[in-house]
Amino acid sequence: FANFVRRKKRGLIHKNLEFMKCLVVDDDVLSVKAVEVCISKTPFLSLAGSCFNAKDAIEFIRQNPVDLIFLDVEMPGTNGFEMLEQLKSVPQIILVTGKPEYAVEAFDYDVTDFLVKPFDFDRFTKAANRAKAYMSWLRTSKQMKVKQMNFSLRKIQSSLS
């Protein structure tokens, strides 16, 4: 909330601008901080939380739906790809990793973008803008309705199981 107030005072909040709620998931404290700083500098992104492992992230997402996850692949225990497989509904994903070789596997998970550590703010902004554009497209297309219906059907199916 304090971040919203600071942005509003600086004139960075527009009435029609919708925030994308973001979660940062990475076991490296410095990497988490770098992404958090970039999120704070991006007017349409809002930091919902940060987790240092997949288990905590899955629990966080169950209680706090998010629009976008900045996700590291290599973490102790459950890795980023395994985490995605455990989610019932997967938001947009921007992978943030030090290993470019994960880019090929990332296509299997329909990630929005792929940031290789270390990255600069310009590259972060490009990834964030891609996520924003995709979210806008989803909201204004029939695809969003189909996605919502599929999600509802999955919830009904899981409650019947």
Side-chain angles (χ1 to χ4, degrees):
F1 181 75
N3 195 23
F4 174 82
V5 172
R6 281 193 299 274
R7 289 178 177 181
K8 185 147 181 91
K9 284 181 181 176
R10 290 187 300 188
L12 296 174
I13 303 300
H14 303 330
K15 285 187 239 178
N16 297 327
L17 181 65
E18 293 188 41
F19 286 109
M20 292 183 73
K21 294 177 286 185
C22 303
L23 175 65
V24 181
V25 184
D26 197 321
D27 62 318
D28 179 65
V29 177
L30 292 177
S31 294
V32 169
K33 188 64 179 168
V35 175
E36 288 175 347
V37 167
C38 289
I39 289 170
S40 73
K41 292 180 178 181
T42 307
F44 57 88
L45 297 181
S46 174
L47 180 65
S50 297
C51 298
F52 297 97
N53 61 64
K55 181 183 175 214
D56 290 347
I58 291 167
E59 185 59 33
F60 183 91
I61 293 165
R62 285 185 182 138
Q63 295 177 18
N64 309 282
V66 296
D67 302 305
L68 178 60
I69 300 174
F70 291 90
L71 178 65
D72 186 22
V73 176
E74 292 185 345
M75 296 181 286
T78 305
N79 72 37
F81 292 131
E82 293 166 339
M83 182 191 117
L84 294 177
E85 291 172 6
Q86 293 179 36
L87 296 177
K88 290 183 180 180
S89 177
V90 180
Q92 288 192 73
I93 304 296
I94 294 177
L95 284 184
V96 184
T97 181
K99 302 205 174 167
E101 57 267 25
Y102 286 123
V104 174
E105 190 173 354
F107 281 104
D108 293 335
Y109 293 91
D110 294 323
V111 302
T112 301
D113 210 330
F114 191 94
L115 295 174
V116 178
K117 300 174 190 176
F119 57 87
D120 60 22
F121 185 66
D122 288 339
R123 181 63 186 95
F124 177 91
T125 301
K126 183 177 179 181
N129 282 329
R130 181 173 284 139
K132 179 183 174 188
Y134 183 69
M135 186 170 152
S136 295
W137 176 80
L138 282 177
R139 287 188 174 158
T140 59
S141 71
K142 292 180 183 179
Q143 291 294 325
M144 184 60 178
K145 291 179 184 175
V146 170
K147 188 174 183 179
Q148 289 170 339
M149 289 172 53
N150 286 337
F151 179 72
S152 297
L153 285 173
R154 276 184 271 160
K155 285 183 91 171
I156 292 168
Q157 288 172 338
S158 67
S159 69
L160 295 175
S161 301

